[in-house]
Amino acid sequence: MLFKDYADLMFKLESVSKRYDKTKLIAEVFKNLDDEDVKILPLALQGNFFPRYITLDIGVSSKLVLKAISKTYNSSVEKIEKLWKEKGDLGLVAQSLSKKEKQMSLFSKSLTLKEVFNALQKFPEITGEKSVDKKLTIIIGFLSRAKDLEVKYLVRLLIGDLRAGIGEGILRDSLILSFIIKEWEHRETDELLIPKDLSEKVQLAFDILNDESEIALILKYHPEDFEKFIKIKIFRPIKLMLAQRVKNVQESFSTVGKPAMFEYKYDGFRVQIHKNNDEIKLFTRKLEDVTKQFPDVLPYLKKNIKAKKIILDSEFIGYDPETKKALPFQKISQRIKRKYDIIKLSELLPVKPKIFDIILLEDKELLNTHFKERRKLLEENVIVEENKIELSNALLTDNLEEAQQFYNKSLEEGNEGLMAKNLEGIYKPGSRVGYMVKIKPILDTLDLVILGGEYGEGKRSNWISSFIVGVRSGDEFLTIGKVGSGLKEKEEEGLTFKQLTEMLKPLIIEEKGKEVKVKPKIVVEVAMEEIQKSESYSSGFALRFPRIIKLRDDKSIDETTTLEEIKTIYKLQRHRNE
Ligand code: AMP
């Protein structure tokens, strides 16, 4: 595929707004690609360079791209920055600069999508002193061969701001149209008409393999029996099952049925444990490999798990090494990020896994096995050793009072609340299907993504001091409020303005005066008093007295609170007030 055809496709996608039109445009293109492009296009459409399960970064900052543009088109960085601020789109700026330099690219060979991707996918391997220069040379090489729209989309791709709104959902549907429901072209309709069970099956493939390139190829060659090729792989993280929220213990029974399994809801971080013989790998819910962070836990996982090959779902919780009492997530959050002195830190802030589910046992996938049976298999396969490796505290009951007491006990012991699980529930990766629900006393904390912000005044003028936060609605994010409180000035007190600003700076995609727009990436937990209807934000809602509680760097942007959930909470709070 020529890079020009990719740029044309992105341009067309941007000019249509209906999901159906976007899906058709993409499906049409997939039909005529060779295998290598079938693997690359799913990534290129989403602005990714690697399949989801690979958490590598090409390490290209907007600053580097600015420099490349400046060198290619003989224009100063200051001038380009100024134009960027005016136009709000670095892609457009580069495109207009390139038009003035027409003659240089006239005779060069056309860029292909493959060569751009093959080169960029190697960027993580470029390390050492000269790495930035090497990357710069490659980018300049591409820019000087790119023309018109190619420049715009190359730059956008490089700074991670594609703006075409292609998420996993549209990609999934276009692959289905292209490879499975081939006769769709002849239909005179404005709807996709993809059977629900088919789109669920393909979605499951995404949630298990987390590799859109591999899935595209499987669908191309095995449209009829693709499911046979979707297998859980050891050491390949899957998306974990998510929990719905209910307002109290009573409601949990009506959602998950009676009797139900209640478990303590621990305040730690979710870890999927993959073990094959003596080799162990640990992954977060964002699919990142965090094995290196837990040298203290690995020996017990090796020693106390009976099965040879197993995938488990767990919450890692911190505890005080003296009193053995559970510590809140905030205290141990450094355990996930620390790059040095990991062993020392693990002595100061030990963690232990509270294992609560089993996904694979030897060669048997347990996704369709009922929870009751899975819990039994879990108990058979893990040898509990106090404070080293434990199972979640669980209570099987159909009695409301008993469940309520268990809930109070969990809270007294410093946990977040309870989980209630449906005994017949299957394990649905990546879904909030209601086979497990969470009950927490504070109903009103939301996981929101930061979409922008504003620099402060006076002594805060170097920091972003208020943040525009948003919720997810399908593939896009809608704003729901502005939050400035909750952050601290000093690091000892918690998350600071400075820390959050530094995290956001590389993500800035637009800057006007004091206001910035950032690429959605950072998730924060926000507490608030109430949700109100509002015209001021694109979600149609606003938050009363919002404050940032903590960074949720364990959550990806796919896991933020959705507009649907906001609507549910809005209704719940109305009941509460009535
Ligand atoms: P939330 O993060 O508020 O969406 O709540 C769901 C999270 O609770 C899960 O993703 C787990 O990380 C965590 N959790 C704590 N204890 C349990 C448990 N016993 N079973 C399932 N999830 C748990």
Side-chain angles (χ1 to χ4, degrees):
M1 184 174 190
L2 290 177
F3 198 80
K4 180 181 176 303
D5 296 333
Y6 164 70
D8 284 344
L9 174 63
M10 295 316 288
F11 184 74
K12 281 190 211 145
L13 287 171
E14 228 176 315
S15 56
V16 297
S17 59
K18 277 208 284 185
R19 188 188 164 100
Y20 175 62
D21 295 326
K22 289 185 199 268
T23 312
K24 269 200 322 189
L25 278 169
I26 302 171
E28 194 61 58
V29 173
F30 265 114
K31 281 202 300 198
N32 305 311
L33 298 183
D34 66 21
D35 288 358
E36 208 179 328
D37 283 332
V38 164
K39 284 165 74 180
I40 296 174
L41 189 60
L43 304 174
L45 284 166
Q46 302 177 88
N48 297 336
F49 297 100
F50 303 97
R52 272 172 193 240
Y53 79 93
I54 299 176
T55 45
L56 280 178
D57 189 28
I58 59 163
V60 171
S61 61
S62 328
K63 221 171 111 195
L64 186 67
V65 181
L66 265 174
K67 207 165 160 188
I69 298 173
S70 150
K71 294 226 173 225
T72 313
Y73 307 123
N74 282 322
S75 198
S76 73
V77 169
E78 294 71 34
K79 184 181 156 201
I80 304 170
E81 262 180 332
K82 191 167 158 271
L83 286 170
W84 186 10
K85 274 193 189 170
E86 276 166 27
K87 290 197 183 176
D89 177 357
L90 190 58
L92 264 184
V93 173
Q95 186 186 8
S96 61
L97 290 173
S98 75
K99 285 185 180 158
K100 295 186 187 127
E101 290 279 319
K102 256 187 228 139
Q103 65 282 26
M104 65 190 270
S105 52
L106 269 183
F107 303 106
S108 56
K109 208 169 147 245
S110 303
L111 272 179
T112 64
L113 188 65
K114 271 181 213 143
E115 69 177 310
V116 171
F117 265 70
N118 288 340
L120 292 174
Q121 283 171 337
K122 294 207 183 83
F123 270 25
E125 296 160 28
I126 307 181
T127 51
E129 243 176 70
K130 295 256 161 63
S131 62
V132 176
D133 288 341
K134 283 183 197 156
K135 289 178 183 175
L136 187 65
T137 312
I138 296 173
I139 298 174
I140 293 174
F142 287 148
L143 278 177
S144 50
R145 283 168 56 199
K147 296 180 198 99
D148 205 11
L149 276 182
E150 291 175 290
V151 176
K152 176 171 164 188
Y153 289 98
L154 180 60
V155 166
R156 285 190 179 181
L157 196 60
L158 286 167
I159 63 166
D161 182 28
L162 214 44
R163 302 183 182 201
I166 302 304
E168 201 174 72
I170 292 182
L171 173 65
R172 178 199 64 215
D173 289 348
S174 55
L175 290 172
I176 294 176
L177 285 193
S178 193
F179 298 130
I180 306 182
I181 312 180
K182 295 191 187 115
E183 81 286 13
W184 59 275
E185 285 163 277
H186 313 294
R187 289 193 190 154
E188 298 274 325
T189 167
D190 252 11
E191 282 173 69
L192 286 172
L193 300 176
I194 295 178
K196 195 161 169 260
D197 68 321
L198 178 60
S199 74
E200 279 178 6
K201 281 177 190 160
V202 178
Q203 183 59 46
L204 184 64
F206 275 88
D207 294 337
I208 288 180
L209 291 182
N210 290 301
D211 184 341
E212 47 276 71
S213 304
E214 187 179 349
I215 291 167
L217 212 56
I218 292 175
L219 295 181
K220 177 176 172 185
Y221 285 105
H222 307 280
E224 304 292 330
D225 56 350
F226 66 89
E227 282 173 286
K228 279 208 301 221
F229 300 84
I230 313 297
K231 293 261 178 285
I232 296 181
K233 300 182 185 186
I234 202 85
F235 303 142
R236 165 84 64 93
I238 72 163
K239 291 215 191 87
L240 298 170
M241 180 155 73
L242 304 174
Q244 277 177 3
R245 185 199 293 255
V246 293
K247 51 172 200 277
N248 52 36
V249 177
Q250 191 162 12
E251 198 186 298
S252 70
F253 272 126
S254 44
T255 315
V256 302
K258 255 187 193 179
M261 187 75 91
F262 290 89
E263 294 179 19
Y264 280 11
K265 182 178 191 310
Y266 302 101
D267 183 16
F269 32 78
R270 186 115 178 230
V271 176
Q272 48 181 310
I273 303 165
H274 290 229
K275 173 182 178 286
N276 193 13
N277 291 313
D278 267 356
E279 199 179 347
I280 307 227
K281 281 194 182 187
L282 307 175
F283 300 95
T284 65
R285 55 201 282 167
K286 283 204 296 197
L287 318 177
E288 286 155 331
D289 186 336
V290 287
T291 316
K292 281 205 194 93
Q293 305 302 117
F294 300 102
D296 47 339
V297 181
L298 295 177
Y300 296 95
L301 296 176
K302 269 183 209 162
K303 184 166 77 86
N304 292 32
I305 296 175
K306 289 187 194 160
K308 274 200 190 118
K309 195 171 175 189
I310 199 165
I311 300 180
L312 300 169
D313 194 354
S314 74
E315 186 87 351
F316 276 29
I317 58 166
Y319 60 96
D320 185 310
E322 304 283 307
T323 64
K324 309 283 187 253
K325 273 205 162 149
L327 295 174
F329 169 75
Q330 247 155 317
K331 283 247 183 256
I332 51 153
S333 59
Q334 330 162 29
R335 288 284 316 256
I336 278 279
K337 284 168 280 182
R338 183 65 80 94
K339 298 222 163 59
Y340 53 92
D341 283 348
I342 292 177
I343 295 187
K344 207 151 120 204
L345 186 68
S346 70
E347 282 160 12
L348 287 175
L349 297 172
V351 297
K352 61 182 169 188
K354 283 279 187 183
I355 306 173
F356 57 76
D357 218 325
I358 175 166
I359 298 164
L360 179 97
L361 180 59
E362 306 304 354
D363 284 316
K364 191 169 167 15
E365 288 183 10
L366 301 174
L367 298 181
N368 290 319
T369 305
H370 289 175
F371 175 68
K372 198 172 161 194
E373 176 65 16
R374 296 204 307 274
R375 176 84 195 185
K376 201 170 130 245
L377 292 170
L378 182 61
E379 287 169 7
E380 284 169 10
N381 277 285
V382 177
I383 306 166
V384 170
E385 195 171 328
E386 215 185 329
N387 286 321
K388 300 297 176 198
I389 174 168
E390 298 176 6
L391 300 183
S392 53
N393 285 22
L395 172 77
L396 179 68
T397 183
D398 60 359
N399 182 304
L400 179 62
E401 214 167 296
E402 242 178 64
Q404 189 67 48
Q405 277 170 9
F406 194 55
Y407 177 53
N408 294 339
K409 199 163 150 247
S410 173
L411 291 175
E412 273 163 30
E413 291 177 27
N415 303 303
E416 277 189 335
L418 281 190
M419 307 292 296
K421 301 184 179 179
N422 181 332
L423 296 182
E424 267 92 55
I426 57 168
Y427 193 102
K428 247 184 153 236
S431 299
R432 241 177 252 283
V433 272
Y435 296 135
M436 71 171 186
V437 298
K438 55 189 173 194
I439 316 153
K440 292 203 249 185
I442 320 167
L443 181 66
D444 306 325
T445 82
L446 309 169
D447 296 320
L448 304 176
V449 63
I450 300 182
L451 300 172
E454 201 176 324
Y455 279 94
E457 307 275 348
K459 68 176 180 158
R460 289 203 190 147
S461 60
N462 288 329
W463 307 332
I464 302 176
S465 67
S466 70
F467 305 84
I468 303 284
V469 285
V471 292
R472 193 162 54 79
S473 170
D475 287 335
E476 52 172 0
F477 290 97
L478 303 174
T479 56
I480 193 163
K482 202 169 193 181
V483 46
S485 58
L487 292 186
K488 308 287 188 276
E489 308 271 340
K490 294 193 195 122
E491 269 183 41
E492 307 84 76
E493 293 165 359
L495 183 64
T496 63
F497 289 107
K498 186 164 171 257
Q499 284 170 324
L500 200 51
T501 303
E502 272 159 17
M503 275 181 236
L504 291 170
K505 268 194 176 160
L507 305 174
I508 293 178
I509 46 184
E510 215 178 297
E511 213 168 336
K512 276 206 183 101
K514 284 180 178 247
E515 288 172 24
V516 295
K517 214 176 110 189
V518 298
K519 193 163 96 177
K521 184 142 190 203
I522 308 267
V523 181
V524 284
E525 189 169 331
V526 173
M528 45 109 203
E529 298 294 318
E530 204 182 13
I531 292 175
Q532 301 168 321
K533 292 236 167 179
S534 162
E535 303 273 298
S536 313
Y537 298 103
S538 56
S539 63
F541 292 96
L543 310 175
R544 213 163 93 92
F545 302 129
R547 60 191 185 281
I548 295 179
I549 303 195
K550 62 185 174 201
L551 189 68
R552 287 301 304 255
D553 43 3
D554 58 322
K555 286 205 168 184
S556 70
I557 55 169
D558 302 333
E559 292 180 79
T560 49
T561 304
T562 61
L563 185 59
E564 284 310 307
E565 287 172 299
I566 295 290
K567 288 180 185 161
T568 312
I569 301 171
Y570 180 72
K571 273 191 220 133
L572 282 179
Q573 73 190 18
R574 293 210 358 226
H575 285 304
R576 240 182 353 183
N577 297 341
E578 268 160 15

